[in-house]
Amino acid sequence: MAKVAVLLAPGFEEAEAIITIDILRRLNIEVETLACAESRGVVSYHTIPMVADHTLSHKIDTYYDAVVLPGGPQGSVNLAASAEVVRFVAAHDEAGKIIAPICSAAARVLGGNGLLKGRRYVCSGDLWQGVQDGVYVDAPVVEDGNLISGKGLGHAFDFALTLSARLLGDDAPVREHAEHIYYPW
């Protein structure tokens, strides 16, 4: 069974995180939420307190099949500024694991730390204009090797379903589930 880490930094975009977690778990993909803070308690962009499964510090040497990076104006800034997050993402990327940023996370976390490595990606707004090491593509979801990026909250279902299909190696159960939740994917 595939196992995914969802990184939650203070100010994370809660809907991007929760929609992704929900879709992955509905498709029987194991998800662990990791707080990128001193404690498991993290407050989201819209001040919703959440308790993560673990802190990133506790799981820093654990490898997952995918690492999800939700956006959020402050959440992605906090992810990008964390040496622990950069180390964790870089190690997973080097191991060929899926790196999955959504919204501002691709530009701020990956682009801001030299982790795009020339790959195609999408992010929210005009943040792409400050990125030097990737190729911006204006699309809901962009896949390039082990990088799957989502444009933003309005495309969170497309992002989560695409990630699920990649992890399962089969889009048939994902399409069936999308129909079940009345989502045209």
Side-chain angles (χ1 to χ4, degrees):
M1 173 189 290
K3 191 169 184 177
V4 177
V6 177
L7 304 187
L8 304 177
F12 71 94
E13 207 322 310
E14 56 278 306
E16 292 168 357
I18 296 300
I19 288 169
T20 303
I21 293 165
D22 179 285
I23 294 298
L24 292 169
R25 287 187 174 166
R26 284 173 184 256
L27 288 160
N28 298 312
I29 297 169
E30 188 176 348
V31 177
E32 285 188 353
T33 53
L34 305 181
C36 302
E38 291 184 23
S39 73
R40 291 175 41 219
V42 184
V43 177
S44 74
Y45 178 47
H46 293 101
T47 64
I48 299 170
M50 292 190 57
V51 178
D53 297 314
H54 305 279
T55 62
L56 176 58
S57 296
H58 181 74
K59 293 289 195 165
I60 193 71
D61 293 320
T62 302
Y63 278 86
Y64 297 84
D65 297 296
V67 177
V68 173
L69 302 149
Q74 194 57 46
S76 61
V77 167
N78 288 331
L79 287 173
S82 167
E84 205 169 49
V85 167
V86 173
R87 175 182 155 208
F88 188 76
V89 171
H92 279 78
D93 193 20
E94 289 169 18
K97 306 299 184 182
I98 296 171
I99 306 302
I102 184 169
C103 198
S104 57
R108 289 192 174 132
V109 181
L110 302 184
N113 288 290
L115 297 172
L116 281 171
K117 302 177 185 173
R119 291 176 285 194
R120 296 176 317 113
Y121 74 97
V122 66
C123 65
S124 60
D126 61 0
L127 292 173
W128 62 271
Q129 293 178 353
V131 175
Q132 302 300 313
D133 72 334
V135 177
Y136 177 78
V137 176
D138 187 8
V141 177
V142 175
E143 296 183 69
D144 190 344
N146 66 322
L147 177 64
I148 300 173
S149 54
K151 189 166 189 171
L153 176 57
H155 299 290
F157 281 97
D158 294 310
F159 172 77
L161 293 165
T162 300
L163 176 59
S164 297
R166 176 76 77 84
L167 288 165
L168 293 173
D170 183 2
D171 69 356
V174 179
R175 289 197 183 286
E176 182 179 311
H177 188 70
E179 288 178 22
H180 175 73
I181 62 169
Y182 308 106
Y183 189 79
W185 183 74

